[in-house]
Amino acid sequence: MTPALPDVITGVMLSLTAPTPPESSGEFAAGKIGMIAMLLALGAQEAEKGLAVRVWENTAMRERLGEGFKGPPDFRLSRLDAVNAELRRRVILAHEAAEARGDVEADRAFLELYKGMADARRLELPGG
């Protein structure tokens, strides 16, 4: 699963609103705040590039499947992710079919697509 920005923000909100028991102050509280800060930093990166990545991925997968443009995209994250999930399922089936028939060229093209998708989704951990 690739958590989307709304999931990250909801997780941060739940962490901030959950009461902290008295015995969990000190190092636990500092760790919790550090984790929240890291999630916010990752969320900021996702907010910056997430829509563009999804549109690129969906276009690249359609091209790999030999499909054309399917009208203007709905730029809501939830809609782009739903289309992305369906395209991923179909790409995997097409890749399996290419492997089954021994199509080395298609296999390499699918692997390049996956690499491009992974590179596009990469987020950098703060301080790293």
Side-chain angles (χ1 to χ4, degrees):
M1 177 188 144
T2 305
L5 184 58
D7 300 324
V8 173
I9 292 171
T10 300
V12 168
M13 184 269 307
L14 292 172
S15 288
L16 289 172
T17 58
T20 304
E23 66 273 8
S24 64
S25 59
E27 290 181 14
F28 177 82
K32 181 177 176 180
I33 289 174
M35 181 62 69
I36 290 169
M38 183 189 68
L39 286 171
L40 288 172
L42 294 173
Q45 292 175 57
E46 175 64 14
E48 172 62 22
K49 68 180 191 174
L51 289 175
V53 167
R54 285 161 176 82
V55 170
W56 174 84
E57 281 184 353
N58 291 354
T59 301
M61 286 189 285
R62 282 193 175 111
E63 287 174 0
R64 185 71 216 121
L65 292 169
E67 297 178 1
F69 182 68
K70 297 231 177 182
D74 180 339
F75 288 106
R76 290 175 293 167
L77 278 174
S78 60
R79 186 65 192 136
L80 287 169
D81 281 342
V83 169
N84 190 279
E86 176 58 28
L87 286 167
R88 283 174 185 249
R89 278 189 284 278
R90 292 176 40 221
V91 162
I92 290 167
L93 291 172
H95 188 186
E96 289 173 341
E99 286 179 325
R101 66 179 181 270
D103 188 339
V104 175
E105 185 178 321
D107 180 51
R108 287 187 182 137
F110 280 109
L111 294 175
E112 283 299 313
L113 173 63
Y114 302 150
K115 181 184 180 312
M117 291 167 64
D119 289 345
R121 292 242 180 183
R122 179 168 307 184
L123 301 176
E124 300 296 325
L125 289 173

